[in-house]
């Protein structure tokens, strides 16, 4: 359970660390399934529906940026989400009706695995209200060396920054010299395997390259209050579904409670992620093909 202080901290700072978010048995099962999936990537030579490959990937040396939609690759990822301390944290922060938007396992390969440049998730997928967050469950120890998540406390209450390149194209990252990017406030979120980060959808965050000799395995679940409906971006795929499939989709994504037919609309700052980067297949591709300037390279 979260304490009243934990909830107040999250509301004030837009992030939270939770230790022991899953049981040792759940962690062990997640680690074994993830290890098997990484092993299977040895047979893959190009990114596909399951894997995003990093530069230098080979059968001898699997290097992944991401395992896509892990909850569709093995049931253990979905079971953990709906039946663990994660579920309780989500109910406490988002209310009784919570849905999964999507999930991803960012694997960040050893020896330089790609940085994630600074961004607000809200810039990728604005909704009718901002009761959205991402939890990041650490499947291995995360320390300063292997590219931990970093956040700017309080940025979830500030503006939505431009995430565009010099030509005005959406590049999925803020300009490192944006005066609203307060680098002096950066907090680094390290922890033991089984710990979990929570960040609000408007919180500015990023992570440096993995300079260690270990994978950095963080399983991200993007979750939302069921009455937050997407305006545009990846999550709005279901607005293109036929009505019956849309209705079924709403139900299959519930983590707890029920979907609603009454979206809650609130006045929040919004920018839409258009025009798109040449390759918008993932955040890594959006930032690379959109020519995002690297804050990590600038900060050294
Ligand atoms: O993997 C990370 O360190 C951050 C991932 C992230 O922010 C994202 O995928 O939106």
């Amino acid at each position: 359970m979260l304490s009243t202080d934990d909830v107040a901290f999250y509301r004030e700072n837009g992030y939270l660390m939770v230790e022991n978010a899953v049981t040792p048995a759940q962690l062990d099962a997640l680690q074994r399934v993830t290890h098997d999936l990484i092993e299977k990537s040895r047979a893959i030579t190009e990114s596909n529906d399951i894997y995003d490959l990093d530069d230098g990937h080979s059968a001898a040396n699997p290097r992944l940026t991401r395992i896509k939609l892990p909850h569709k690759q093995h049931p253990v990822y979905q079971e953990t989400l709906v039946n663990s301390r994660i579920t309780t944290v989500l109910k406490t922060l988002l209310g009784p009706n919570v849905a999964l938007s999507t999930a991803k396992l960012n694997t960040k390969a050893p020896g330089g695995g790609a940085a994630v440049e600074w961004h607000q998730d809200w810039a990728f997928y604005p909704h009718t209200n901002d009761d959205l967050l991402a939890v990041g469950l650490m499947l291995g120890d995360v320390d300063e060396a292997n590219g931990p998540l970093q956040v700017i406390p309080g940025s979830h209450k500030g503006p939505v920054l431009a995430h565009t390149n010099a030509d005005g194209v959406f590049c999925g990252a803020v300009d490192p010299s944006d005066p609203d990017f307060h680098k002096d406030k950066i907090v680094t979120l390290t922890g033991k395997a089984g710990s979990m980060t929570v960040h609000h959808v408007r919180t500015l965050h990023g992570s440096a390259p993995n300079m260690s000799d270990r994978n950095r395995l963080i399983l991200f679940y993007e979750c939302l209050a069921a009455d937050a409906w997407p305006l545009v971006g990846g999550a709005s795929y279901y607005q293109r579904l036929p009505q019956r499939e849309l209705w079924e989709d709403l139900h299959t994504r519930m983590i707890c409670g029920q979907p609603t037919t009454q979206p809650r609309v609130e006045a929040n700052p919004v920018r839409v992620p258009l025009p798109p980067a040449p390759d918008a297949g993932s955040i890594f591709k959006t930032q690379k093909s959109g020519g995002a300037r690297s804050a990590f390279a600038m900060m050294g």
Side-chain angles (χ1 to χ4, degrees):
M1 285 293 271
L2 292 183
S3 68
T4 316
D5 284 353
D6 289 333
V7 176
F9 183 93
Y10 173 75
R11 303 264 180 252
E12 181 62 23
N13 294 287
Y15 77 95
L16 192 63
M17 276 292 304
V18 180
E19 288 175 0
N20 302 316
V22 291
T23 65
Q26 285 172 324
L27 179 62
D28 185 58
L30 287 164
Q31 287 172 331
R32 274 187 290 110
V33 168
T34 302
H35 176 77
D36 286 354
L37 279 166
I38 295 175
E39 281 301 302
K40 286 189 183 133
S41 77
R42 290 180 189 273
I44 305 297
T45 54
E46 278 179 16
S47 295
N48 61 16
D49 287 348
I50 305 178
Y51 301 106
D52 262 339
L53 306 186
D54 201 355
D55 295 342
H57 172 86
S58 67
N61 181 23
R63 290 180 64 81
L64 308 177
T65 52
R66 174 175 287 180
I67 296 171
K68 298 176 195 174
L69 305 177
H71 56 306
K72 308 234 175 182
Q73 315 311 344
H74 194 284
V76 73
Y77 298 106
Q78 177 75 17
E79 282 160 19
T80 308
L81 175 64
V82 299
N83 188 19
S84 67
R85 202 168 162 221
I86 304 175
T87 332
T88 316
V89 169
L90 291 172
K91 281 186 199 166
T92 309
L93 297 180
L94 295 175
N97 303 306
V98 181
L100 176 67
S101 180
T102 192
K104 56 203 175 187
L105 205 168
N106 286 355
T107 48
K108 218 181 254 198
V116 178
E117 294 300 331
W118 286 86
H119 66 282
Q120 294 165 296
D121 294 339
W122 189 243
F124 287 74
Y125 45 83
H127 281 60
T128 57
N129 67 66
D130 67 358
D131 271 336
L132 286 83
L133 56 77
V135 301
L137 179 65
M138 300 178 191
L139 299 187
D141 294 350
V142 177
D143 58 26
E144 296 272 352
N146 66 346
L149 191 70
Q150 298 184 304
V151 294
I152 310 273
S155 50
H156 65 306
K157 294 183 179 175
V160 51
L161 278 63
H163 288 60
T164 43
N165 65 20
D167 298 324
V169 171
F170 184 73
C171 67
V174 302
D175 187 320
S177 56
D178 190 313
D180 286 319
F181 173 37
H182 299 290
K183 306 175 202 50
D184 51 316
K185 294 192 182 155
I186 290 174
V187 171
T188 301
L189 305 179
T190 56
K192 291 270 167 218
S195 303
M196 158 176 118
T197 60
V198 182
H199 66 267
H200 186 271
V201 70
R202 287 170 58 191
T203 298
L204 259 167
H205 62 284
S207 61
N210 177 3
M211 301 317 288
S212 77
D213 56 5
R214 294 167 291 121
N215 277 316
R216 193 228 56 181
L217 303 174
I218 303 188
L219 171 59
F220 286 98
Y221 295 106
E222 294 172 5
C223 306
L224 66 163
D227 60 6
W229 280 56
L231 300 175
V232 71
S236 62
Y237 72 92
Y238 68 66
Q239 291 162 355
R240 295 190 299 273
L241 295 177
Q243 303 292 286
R244 175 61 52 193
E245 286 174 40
L246 164 57
W247 188 236
E248 282 161 12
D249 185 79
L250 287 176
H251 284 81
T252 56
R253 290 187 303 98
M254 292 310 292
I255 299 168
C256 50
Q258 295 300 319
T260 177
T261 51
Q262 293 180 293
R264 176 165 44 96
V265 183
E266 288 182 350
N268 286 308
V270 165
R271 293 176 190 253
V272 296
L274 296 172
D279 184 348
S282 73
I283 188 169
F284 300 101
K285 290 178 178 155
T286 298
Q287 294 186 338
K288 197 167 178 182
S289 72
R293 291 177 64 209
S294 174
F296 294 103
M298 282 175 68
M299 291 188 277

